[in-house]
């Protein structure tokens, strides 16, 4: 099993979610996160005063998938989450050694 984590633009969430569901991802966790990277922040105005915003708001999607699905899931996130602009995000893939469903004590694939 693999854990796929993706950091994407907030406005691309519905596209990515729909794309993942269409290829058989049955569950995911979504978090609002803030990031700092190549954009190095931005300057914005609020009520006539200029402010420097260093962290940009992003969405983090986490999904546990079977190893055979990993490449497809990464491809779907890449296609659906891309805008072509700086700051489109990153995808991280890591191994998952064990899963336990708390309510039923099911483990691994049965616990997804």
């Amino acid at each position: 099993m693999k854990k796929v984590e993706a950091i994407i633009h907030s406005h691309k969430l519905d596209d990515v979610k729909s794309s993942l569901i269409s290829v058989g991802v049955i569950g995911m966790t979504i978090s609002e996160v803030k990031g700092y990277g190549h954009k190095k922040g931005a300057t914005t105005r609020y009520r006539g005063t200029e402010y420097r915003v260093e962290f940009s708001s992003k969405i983090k999607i986490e999904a546990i998938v079977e190893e055979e699905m990993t490449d497809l899931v990464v491809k779907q996130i890449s296609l659906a989450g891309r805008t072509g602009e700086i700051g489109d995000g990153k995808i991280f893939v890591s191994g998952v050694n064990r899963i336990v469903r708390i309510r039923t004590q099911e483990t691994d694939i049965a616990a997804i």
Side-chain angles (χ1 to χ4, degrees), residues 48-67:
T49 306
E50 201 169 272
Y51 292 93
R52 178 116 176 107
V53 180
E54 291 188 353
F55 293 94
S56 57
S57 294
K58 301 283 186 170
I59 295 292
K60 180 179 181 181
I61 300 172
E62 298 172 275
I64 307 298
V65 298
E66 294 183 47
E67 197 154 342

Side-chain angles (χ1 to χ4, degrees), residues 23-24 30 32 38 57 69 80 89 98 101 110:
V23 296
I30 310 295
E32 292 181 16
H38 286 288
S57 294
M69 286 186 62
R98 187 170 179 206
R101 185 182 310 239

Side-chain angles (χ1 to χ4, degrees), residues 18-63:
S18 298
S19 182
L20 291 176
I21 290 170
S22 75
V23 296
V25 174
I26 58 174
M28 61 192 87
T29 300
I30 310 295
S31 306
E32 292 181 16
V33 297
K34 293 193 180 285
Y36 180 86
H38 286 288
K39 273 188 151 178
K40 307 278 190 268
T43 304
T44 186
R45 286 191 170 275
Y46 179 72
R47 294 187 177 180
T49 306
E50 201 169 272
Y51 292 93
R52 178 116 176 107
V53 180
E54 291 188 353
F55 293 94
S56 57
S57 294
K58 301 283 186 170
I59 295 292
K60 180 179 181 181
I61 300 172
E62 298 172 275

Side-chain angles (χ1 to χ4, degrees), residues 48-112:
T49 306
E50 201 169 272
Y51 292 93
R52 178 116 176 107
V53 180
E54 291 188 353
F55 293 94
S56 57
S57 294
K58 301 283 186 170
I59 295 292
K60 180 179 181 181
I61 300 172
E62 298 172 275
I64 307 298
V65 298
E66 294 183 47
E67 197 154 342
E68 307 80 49
M69 286 186 62
T70 305
D71 290 338
L72 177 61
V73 168
V74 168
K75 181 179 177 184
Q76 291 299 111
I77 294 170
S78 294
L79 293 174
R82 178 177 296 135
T83 66
E85 302 289 323
I86 292 175
D88 270 354
K90 300 268 191 299
I91 301 171
F92 307 95
V93 178
S94 55
V96 174
N97 296 327
R98 187 170 179 206
I99 301 173
V100 178
R101 185 182 310 239
I102 295 172
R103 179 177 55 87
T104 62
Q105 298 300 305
E106 293 171 295
T107 60
D108 302 324
I109 296 296
I112 292 181

